[in-house]
Amino acid sequence: MVSRVIPVQPFDLVIFGGTGDLARRKILPALFRRFCAGQMAEDARVIGAARGDMNAAGYRGFARDAITEFDGDITMMEAHLARFLEQVDYVTLDAAGDVGWPELAAKLTGADHTRAFYFSVGPALFGPLATRLYDHGLASPGCRIVVEKPFGRDLASARKLNAVLAEHFDETQIYRIDHYLGKETVQNLMAIRFANTLFEPLWNSQYVDHMQITVAESGGVGTRGGYYDKSGAMRDMMQNHIMQLLCLTAMEPPAKYDPDSVRDEKLKVIRALDPVEPGDVVRGQYESTDTLPGYRNEVENRDTTTESFVALKARIGNWRWAGTPFYLRTGKRLRARASEIAVVFKDAPHSIFGADAGRHRNILTIRLQPNEGIEMGVTIKEPGPGGMRLVDVPLDMTFSEALGPQSEDIPDAYERLIMDVIRGDQTLFMRGDEVEAAWAWTDPIIEGWEAAGTQPELYSTGSSGPDDALALIHRDGRRWREIKP
Ligand code: NAP
């Protein structure tokens, strides 16, 4: 099976922050891969913009290095790379000043090119960029802006940012990126739920005992300590990525797969979330080991109370989910880098096999990383003559095995999302009201911590998080799924 690539219309994509880490590691390699796949028109153009004094040739060298470093062996694609780089340009520009704007305007092509501006700069520059695009006459009605995370650090700042963007851009022009939504498995979650008759009738509190969403990382904050310590796990992961996964898992079927139908349903989930009780949330910080520094040694403030781990029990107050808790957790320096959504079904209503059967449950696991795929745990008879003993076995579909060579063509999240921007498809981007609703839910939790002045609980590197996080679910007679590579 060979995947079909539909070329997108010619475009001018300006990457503000074109010399930054995100451009180097993700955006430029993603564009190159789409170029190799034949999706970028020959006259499409990528223009890096930053304050650094560099000419086009210098930026092409930067892009070449980035692609070579993050795209593995490109010797087979050297000819492609040379052609791709011909479409790359650079302008020295200050997002918060006047330098470079006329030069940028002169480089942009006419109305036959879709115009997209990628805000890959620090969040303090999102507002100034929007204003300058408008002031310099570049905010044309058909253009798009792509806004990176973090989108605010609380409801007030998110509202303010939405208002600044709305002064110059219509909501249909604003693409708030959450790269989790570009992951193949996350989109597959919708396919699994709404393209199969098998699951949807069971997808409610009558049959689902509880859900677990885990985004576990094995690494620490490393060089990102400065940024991370100002946000923490709640702002950096829970409010956006995990919230989006929760929405797609819990939402009602949208009438259509189109941006507003999907985003309306997601918004309803966030608005239906009950406030989290203080006893239903646990935060933690990783301790040092003999060889690795602890969280407090990796950030500047040695007395920091920022959390590197958070676990909580969420409840959705609607007909579908009343009584079914959603246990959410994320953290750094945990046992493995593993992200999954687990749907844990209730026990069969009556066991004809005696007491033994009660210990078995169907669990549908959607693995986001590693080994993107789906696994359904089913209970069968243990083989052999020893009577009717039951055993749980996985019905496993790892995409790379099931789809064969085609799976190697699966674009990474940034490839998919950047092409969606050019196509004008906002389905996998967050709408302004969604972001605000998510902050409205997380703000009281963070404010509660700040008011209480409590310390996060320490946890060991390579563990599953703090003991209280285990207790959070144990006291409900349930257990977390093992975090395994
Ligand atoms: P970075 O490495 O610090 O790069 C910042 C870029 O912005 C540089 O190219 C810098 O170049 C440019 N810049 C700074 N001030 C500027 C100004 N006044 N005018 C024009 N350009 C300016 O940051 P990053 O890690 O790439 O992150 C960029 C954005 O993506 C941030 O909002 C971040 O939160 C978000 N993000 C990053 C990652 C990641 O993995 N890196 C992941 C998710 C989200 P000059 O200094 O030469 O101007």
Side-chain angles (χ1 to χ4, degrees), residues 352-420:
I352 64 168
F353 303 113
D356 186 40
R359 290 187 276 115
H360 302 275
R361 276 190 165 176
N362 296 127
I363 300 178
L364 173 68
T365 313
I366 296 138
R367 286 191 307 266
L368 307 180
Q369 65 190 20
N371 309 325
E372 288 192 46
I374 301 160
E375 184 184 302
M376 180 77 209
V378 292
T379 304
I380 60 165
K381 178 191 169 298
E382 194 176 296
M388 195 60 172
R389 287 194 308 267
L390 302 181
V391 62
D392 293 332
V393 292
L395 287 177
D396 189 343
M397 188 183 91
T398 300
F399 294 158
S400 59
E401 286 165 17
L403 301 176
Q406 188 195 358
S407 68
E408 287 162 22
D409 295 336
I410 291 177
D412 102 346
Y414 279 89
E415 291 176 62
R416 162 76 201 239
L417 294 174
I418 295 171
M419 290 302 110
D420 278 357

Coordinates of all heavy atoms in Angstrom, one line a residue, residues 352-420:
I352 N -19.4 -16.8 34.9 CA -19.8 -18.2 34.9 C -18.6 -19.1 35.3 O -18.7 -20.3 35.4 CB -20.4 -18.7 33.6 CG1 -19.4 -18.6 32.5 CG2 -21.7 -17.9 33.3 CD1 -19.8 -19.3 31.2
F353 N -17.4 -18.5 35.5 CA -16.2 -19.2 35.7 C -15.7 -19.2 37.2 O -14.6 -19.5 37.5 CB -15.1 -18.7 34.8 CG -15.4 -18.8 33.4 CD1 -15.6 -17.6 32.6 CD2 -15.6 -20.0 32.7 CE1 -15.9 -17.6 31.3 CE2 -15.9 -20.0 31.4 CZ -16.1 -18.8 30.7
G354 N -16.6 -18.7 38.0 CA -16.2 -18.6 39.4 C -15.3 -17.4 39.8 O -15.1 -16.5 39.0
A355 N -14.7 -17.5 40.9 CA -14.0 -16.3 41.5 C -12.9 -15.8 40.6 O -12.5 -14.7 40.5 CB -13.5 -16.6 42.9
D356 N -12.2 -16.8 39.9 CA -11.0 -16.5 39.1 C -11.3 -15.4 38.1 O -10.5 -14.5 37.8 CB -10.6 -17.8 38.4 CG -9.3 -17.5 37.7 OD1 -8.4 -16.8 38.3 OD2 -9.1 -18.1 36.6
A357 N -12.5 -15.4 37.5 CA -12.8 -14.5 36.4 C -12.8 -13.1 36.8 O -12.6 -12.2 36.0 CB -14.2 -14.9 35.8
G358 N -13.1 -12.8 38.1 CA -13.2 -11.4 38.5 C -11.9 -10.6 38.3 O -12.0 -9.4 38.3
R359 N -10.8 -11.3 38.2 CA -9.6 -10.5 38.1 C -9.2 -10.1 36.7 O -8.2 -9.6 36.5 CB -8.4 -11.4 38.7 CG -8.6 -11.5 40.2 CD -7.4 -12.2 40.8 NE -7.5 -13.7 40.8 CZ -6.7 -14.5 40.0 NH1 -5.8 -13.9 39.3 NH2 -6.9 -15.8 40.0
H360 N -10.1 -10.4 35.8 CA -9.7 -10.1 34.4 C -10.6 -9.0 33.8 O -11.8 -9.0 34.0 CB -9.9 -11.4 33.5 CG -9.0 -12.5 34.0 ND1 -7.7 -12.6 33.7 CD2 -9.3 -13.5 34.9 CE1 -7.2 -13.7 34.3 NE2 -8.1 -14.2 35.0
R361 N -9.9 -8.1 33.0 CA -10.7 -7.0 32.5 C -10.2 -6.7 31.1 O -9.0 -6.9 30.7 CB -10.3 -5.8 33.3 CG -11.2 -5.7 34.5 CD -11.0 -4.3 35.2 NE -12.1 -4.2 36.1 CZ -12.2 -3.2 36.9 NH1 -11.3 -2.2 36.9 NH2 -13.2 -3.1 37.8
N362 N -11.1 -6.2 30.3 CA -10.7 -5.8 28.9 C -10.1 -4.4 29.1 O -10.7 -3.5 29.7 CB -11.9 -5.7 28.0 CG -12.5 -7.1 27.8 OD1 -13.7 -7.3 27.9 ND2 -11.7 -8.0 27.4
I363 N -9.0 -4.2 28.5 CA -8.4 -2.9 28.5 C -8.0 -2.5 27.0 O -7.3 -3.3 26.4 CB -7.1 -2.8 29.4 CG1 -7.5 -3.2 30.8 CG2 -6.5 -1.4 29.3 CD1 -6.3 -3.2 31.8
L364 N -8.5 -1.4 26.5 CA -8.0 -1.0 25.2 C -7.0 0.1 25.4 O -7.2 1.1 26.1 CB -9.2 -0.3 24.5 CG -8.9 0.3 23.1 CD1 -8.5 -0.7 22.1 CD2 -10.1 1.1 22.6
T365 N -5.8 -0.1 24.9 CA -4.7 0.8 25.1 C -4.3 1.4 23.7 O -4.1 0.7 22.7 CB -3.4 0.1 25.6 OG1 -3.9 -0.8 26.7 CG2 -2.4 1.0 26.1
I366 N -4.3 2.7 23.7 CA -3.9 3.5 22.5 C -2.5 4.0 22.9 O -2.3 4.9 23.7 CB -4.9 4.6 22.2 CG1 -6.2 3.9 21.9 CG2 -4.4 5.4 21.0 CD1 -7.4 4.6 22.4
R367 N -1.5 3.5 22.2 CA -0.1 3.9 22.5 C 0.3 5.0 21.6 O 0.3 4.9 20.4 CB 0.9 2.7 22.3 CG 0.9 1.6 23.3 CD 2.1 0.7 23.0 NE 2.2 0.2 21.7 CZ 1.7 -1.0 21.3 NH1 1.1 -1.8 22.1 NH2 1.8 -1.3 20.0
L368 N 0.8 6.1 22.3 CA 1.2 7.3 21.5 C 2.7 7.2 21.2 O 3.2 7.6 20.2 CB 0.9 8.6 22.2 CG -0.5 8.8 22.7 CD1 -0.7 10.1 23.4 CD2 -1.5 8.7 21.5
Q369 N 3.4 6.7 22.2 CA 4.9 6.5 22.0 C 5.4 5.6 23.2 O 4.9 5.7 24.3 CB 5.7 7.8 22.0 CG 5.6 8.6 23.3 CD 6.2 10.0 23.2 OE1 6.3 10.5 22.1 NE2 6.5 10.5 24.3
P370 N 6.4 4.7 23.0 CA 6.9 4.4 21.6 C 6.0 3.4 20.9 O 5.0 3.0 21.5 CB 8.3 3.8 22.0 CG 8.1 3.2 23.3 CD 7.0 4.0 24.0
N371 N 6.4 3.0 19.8 CA 5.6 2.0 19.0 C 4.1 2.3 18.9 O 3.3 1.6 19.4 CB 5.7 0.6 19.7 CG 7.1 0.2 20.0 OD1 8.0 0.5 19.2 ND2 7.3 -0.5 21.1
E372 N 3.9 3.4 18.2 CA 2.5 3.9 18.1 C 1.6 2.7 17.7 O 1.9 2.0 16.7 CB 2.4 4.9 17.0 CG 2.9 6.3 17.4 CD 2.6 7.4 16.4 OE1 1.4 7.5 16.0 OE2 3.5 8.2 16.1
G373 N 0.5 2.5 18.4 CA -0.4 1.4 18.0 C -1.5 1.2 19.0 O -1.7 2.0 19.9
I374 N -2.2 0.2 18.8 CA -3.4 -0.1 19.6 C -3.3 -1.5 20.1 O -3.0 -2.4 19.4 CB -4.7 0.0 18.8 CG1 -4.8 1.4 18.2 CG2 -5.9 -0.2 19.6 CD1 -5.7 1.5 17.0
E375 N -3.7 -1.7 21.4 CA -3.7 -3.1 21.9 C -5.0 -3.3 22.7 O -5.5 -2.4 23.4 CB -2.5 -3.2 22.9 CG -2.3 -4.5 23.5 CD -1.2 -4.6 24.5 OE1 -0.1 -4.2 24.1 OE2 -1.5 -4.9 25.6
M376 N -5.6 -4.4 22.4 CA -6.9 -4.7 23.1 C -6.6 -5.9 24.0 O -6.2 -7.0 23.5 CB -8.0 -5.0 22.1 CG -9.3 -5.4 22.7 SD -10.2 -3.9 23.2 CE -11.1 -4.6 24.6
G377 N -6.7 -5.8 25.3 CA -6.5 -7.0 26.2 C -7.8 -7.8 26.2 O -8.9 -7.2 26.6
V378 N -7.7 -9.0 25.9 CA -8.9 -9.9 26.0 C -8.6 -11.1 26.9 O -7.5 -11.5 27.0 CB -9.4 -10.4 24.6 CG1 -10.0 -9.3 23.8 CG2 -8.3 -11.1 23.9
T379 N -9.6 -11.6 27.5 CA -9.5 -12.7 28.4 C -9.8 -14.0 27.6 O -10.9 -14.1 27.0 CB -10.4 -12.6 29.6 OG1 -10.1 -11.3 30.2 CG2 -10.2 -13.7 30.6
I380 N -8.9 -15.0 27.7 CA -9.2 -16.3 27.0 C -8.9 -17.4 28.0 O -8.4 -17.2 29.1 CB -8.3 -16.5 25.8 CG1 -6.8 -16.4 26.1 CG2 -8.6 -15.4 24.7 CD1 -5.9 -16.9 25.0
K381 N -9.1 -18.6 27.6 CA -8.8 -19.8 28.4 C -7.3 -20.1 28.3 O -6.8 -20.0 27.2 CB -9.6 -21.0 27.9 CG -9.3 -22.2 28.7 CD -9.9 -23.5 28.1 CE -9.3 -24.7 28.7 NZ -7.9 -24.9 28.5
E382 N -6.7 -20.3 29.4 CA -5.3 -20.6 29.4 C -5.2 -22.0 28.8 O -5.9 -22.9 29.1 CB -4.8 -20.7 30.8 CG -3.3 -20.7 30.9 CD -2.8 -20.7 32.3 OE1 -3.1 -19.6 33.0 OE2 -2.2 -21.6 32.8
P383 N -4.3 -22.2 27.8 CA -4.2 -23.5 27.1 C -3.8 -24.6 28.1 O -3.2 -24.4 29.0 CB -3.1 -23.3 26.0 CG -2.9 -21.8 26.0 CD -3.3 -21.2 27.3
G384 N -4.3 -25.8 27.7 CA -3.8 -26.9 28.6 C -5.0 -27.6 29.2 O -6.1 -27.1 29.3
P385 N -4.7 -28.7 29.8 CA -5.8 -29.6 30.4 C -6.2 -29.2 31.8 O -7.0 -29.8 32.4 CB -5.1 -30.9 30.4 CG -3.7 -30.7 30.5 CD -3.4 -29.4 29.9
G386 N -5.6 -28.1 32.4 CA -5.7 -27.9 33.8 C -7.0 -27.2 34.2 O -7.0 -26.3 35.0
G387 N -8.1 -27.5 33.5 CA -9.4 -26.9 33.9 C -9.6 -25.6 33.3 O -8.8 -25.1 32.4
M388 N -10.6 -24.9 33.7 CA -11.0 -23.6 33.0 C -10.3 -22.4 33.7 O -10.8 -21.8 34.6 CB -12.5 -23.4 33.1 CG -13.0 -22.4 32.2 SD -12.6 -22.8 30.5 CE -13.5 -21.5 29.6
R389 N -9.0 -22.3 33.4 CA -8.3 -21.1 33.9 C -8.2 -20.0 32.9 O -8.1 -20.3 31.7 CB -6.9 -21.5 34.3 CG -6.8 -22.4 35.6 CD -5.4 -22.5 36.1 NE -4.5 -22.9 35.1 CZ -4.1 -24.1 34.9 NH1 -4.6 -25.1 35.6 NH2 -3.3 -24.4 33.9
L390 N -8.4 -18.8 33.3 CA -8.4 -17.7 32.4 C -7.1 -16.9 32.4 O -6.4 -16.8 33.4 CB -9.6 -16.7 32.8 CG -11.0 -17.3 32.8 CD1 -12.0 -16.3 33.2 CD2 -11.3 -18.0 31.5
V391 N -6.8 -16.3 31.2 CA -5.6 -15.6 31.1 C -5.9 -14.4 30.2 O -6.7 -14.4 29.2 CB -4.5 -16.5 30.5 CG1 -4.8 -17.0 29.2 CG2 -3.1 -15.7 30.5
D392 N -5.2 -13.2 30.4 CA -5.4 -12.0 29.6 C -4.3 -12.0 28.5 O -3.1 -12.2 28.8 CB -5.2 -10.8 30.4 CG -6.3 -10.6 31.4 OD1 -7.4 -11.1 31.1 OD2 -6.1 -10.0 32.5
V393 N -4.7 -11.9 27.3 CA -3.7 -11.8 26.2 C -4.0 -10.5 25.3 O -5.1 -10.1 25.3 CB -3.8 -13.0 25.2 CG1 -3.3 -14.3 26.0 CG2 -5.1 -13.2 24.7
P394 N -3.0 -10.0 24.7 CA -3.2 -8.8 23.9 C -3.5 -9.1 22.5 O -2.9 -10.0 21.9 CB -1.8 -8.0 24.0 CG -0.8 -9.1 24.3 CD -1.5 -10.3 24.9
L395 N -4.5 -8.4 21.9 CA -4.7 -8.4 20.5 C -4.0 -7.1 20.1 O -4.4 -6.0 20.4 CB -6.2 -8.2 20.1 CG -7.1 -9.4 20.3 CD1 -8.5 -8.9 19.9 CD2 -6.6 -10.5 19.4
D396 N -2.8 -7.2 19.5 CA -1.9 -6.1 19.3 C -1.8 -5.7 17.9 O -1.6 -6.5 17.0 CB -0.5 -6.5 19.9 CG 0.4 -5.3 20.0 OD1 0.2 -4.3 19.4 OD2 1.5 -5.5 20.6
M397 N -2.0 -4.4 17.6 CA -1.7 -3.9 16.3 C -0.7 -2.7 16.4 O -1.0 -1.6 16.8 CB -2.9 -3.4 15.6 CG -2.7 -3.1 14.2 SD -4.1 -2.4 13.3 CE -3.9 -0.7 13.6
T398 N 0.6 -3.1 16.1 CA 1.6 -2.0 16.1 C 1.5 -1.5 14.6 O 1.6 -2.3 13.7 CB 2.9 -2.6 16.4 OG1 2.9 -3.1 17.7 CG2 4.0 -1.5 16.3
F399 N 1.3 -0.2 14.5 CA 1.1 0.3 13.1 C 2.2 -0.1 12.1 O 1.9 -0.4 11.0 CB 0.9 1.8 13.1 CG -0.3 2.3 13.9 CD1 -0.4 3.6 14.4 CD2 -1.4 1.5 14.0 CE1 -1.5 4.0 15.0 CE2 -2.5 1.9 14.7 CZ -2.6 3.2 15.2
S400 N 3.4 0.0 12.6 CA 4.5 -0.2 11.7 C 4.5 -1.7 11.2 O 4.9 -2.0 10.1 CB 5.9 0.1 12.4 OG 6.0 -0.7 13.5
E401 N 4.0 -2.6 12.0 CA 3.9 -4.0 11.6 C 2.7 -4.2 10.7 O 2.7 -4.8 9.6 CB 3.8 -4.9 12.8 CG 5.2 -5.1 13.5 CD 5.0 -5.7 14.8 OE1 4.0 -6.3 15.1 OE2 6.0 -5.6 15.6
A402 N 1.5 -3.6 11.1 CA 0.3 -3.9 10.4 C 0.3 -3.2 9.1 O -0.3 -3.7 8.1 CB -0.9 -3.4 11.3
L403 N 0.9 -2.0 9.0 CA 0.8 -1.3 7.7 C 2.0 -1.5 6.8 O 2.1 -1.0 5.7 CB 0.6 0.2 8.0 CG -0.7 0.5 8.8 CD1 -0.8 2.0 9.1 CD2 -1.9 0.1 8.0
G404 N 3.0 -2.1 7.4 CA 4.2 -2.4 6.6 C 4.9 -1.1 6.1 O 4.9 -0.1 6.8
P405 N 5.6 -1.1 4.9 CA 6.4 0.0 4.5 C 5.6 1.3 4.5 O 6.2 2.3 4.7 CB 6.8 -0.4 3.0 CG 6.5 -1.8 2.9 CD 5.5 -2.2 3.9
Q406 N 4.3 1.2 4.3 CA 3.5 2.5 4.3 C 3.7 3.3 5.6 O 3.8 4.5 5.6 CB 2.1 2.2 4.1 CG 1.3 3.5 3.9 CD -0.2 3.2 4.0 OE1 -0.7 2.1 4.3 NE2 -1.0 4.3 3.9
S407 N 3.9 2.6 6.7 CA 4.0 3.2 8.0 C 5.3 4.1 8.1 O 5.4 5.0 8.8 CB 4.0 2.3 9.1 OG 5.1 1.5 9.1
E408 N 6.3 3.7 7.2 CA 7.5 4.5 7.3 C 7.3 5.9 6.7 O 8.1 6.8 6.9 CB 8.6 3.8 6.5 CG 9.1 2.6 7.3 CD 9.9 1.6 6.5 OE1 10.4 2.0 5.4 OE2 10.0 0.4 6.9
D409 N 6.2 6.0 5.9 CA 5.9 7.3 5.3 C 5.0 8.2 6.2 O 4.7 9.3 5.8 CB 5.1 7.1 4.0 CG 5.9 6.4 2.9 OD1 7.1 6.5 3.0 OD2 5.3 5.7 2.0
I410 N 4.7 7.7 7.4 CA 3.8 8.5 8.2 C 4.6 9.7 8.6 O 5.6 9.7 9.2 CB 3.4 7.7 9.5 CG1 2.5 6.5 9.1 CG2 2.8 8.6 10.5 CD1 2.1 5.6 10.2
P411 N 4.0 10.9 8.3 CA 4.7 12.1 8.6 C 4.7 12.4 10.1 O 3.8 11.9 10.8 CB 3.8 13.2 7.9 CG 2.5 12.6 7.5 CD 2.7 11.1 7.6
D412 N 5.7 13.1 10.5 CA 5.7 13.4 11.9 C 4.7 14.5 12.2 O 4.2 15.1 11.2 CB 7.1 13.6 12.5 CG 7.5 15.1 12.7 OD1 6.9 16.0 12.2 OD2 8.5 15.2 13.3
A413 N 4.5 14.8 13.4 CA 3.4 15.8 13.8 C 3.6 17.1 13.1 O 2.6 17.7 12.6 CB 3.3 15.9 15.3
Y414 N 4.8 17.7 13.1 CA 5.0 19.0 12.5 C 4.8 19.0 11.0 O 4.3 19.9 10.4 CB 6.4 19.5 12.9 CG 6.4 20.1 14.3 CD1 6.7 19.3 15.4 CD2 6.1 21.4 14.5 CE1 6.7 19.9 16.6 CE2 6.1 22.0 15.7 CZ 6.4 21.2 16.8 OH 6.4 21.7 18.1
E415 N 5.2 17.9 10.3 CA 4.9 17.8 8.9 C 3.4 17.9 8.6 O 3.0 18.7 7.8 CB 5.4 16.5 8.3 CG 6.9 16.3 8.3 CD 7.3 14.9 7.9 OE1 7.0 14.6 6.7 OE2 7.9 14.2 8.7
R416 N 2.7 17.1 9.3 CA 1.2 17.1 9.1 C 0.6 18.5 9.4 O -0.2 19.0 8.6 CB 0.7 16.0 10.1 CG -0.8 16.1 10.3 CD -1.5 15.6 9.1 NE -2.9 16.0 9.1 CZ -4.0 15.2 9.1 NH1 -3.8 14.0 9.1 NH2 -5.2 15.7 9.0
L417 N 1.0 19.0 10.5 CA 0.4 20.3 11.0 C 0.7 21.5 10.1 O -0.2 22.3 9.7 CB 0.7 20.6 12.4 CG 0.1 19.5 13.4 CD1 0.6 19.8 14.8 CD2 -1.4 19.5 13.4
I418 N 2.0 21.5 9.6 CA 2.3 22.7 8.8 C 1.6 22.6 7.4 O 1.1 23.6 6.9 CB 3.9 22.7 8.5 CG1 4.6 23.0 9.9 CG2 4.2 23.8 7.5 CD1 6.1 22.9 9.8
M419 N 1.5 21.4 6.9 CA 0.7 21.2 5.7 C -0.8 21.5 5.9 O -1.4 22.1 5.0 CB 0.9 19.8 5.1 CG 2.3 19.5 4.6 SD 2.8 20.6 3.2 CE 4.1 21.5 4.0
D420 N -1.3 21.2 7.1 CA -2.7 21.6 7.4 C -2.9 23.1 7.4 O -3.9 23.6 6.9 CB -3.1 21.0 8.7 CG -3.6 19.6 8.6 OD1 -3.6 19.0 7.5 OD2 -3.9 19.0 9.7

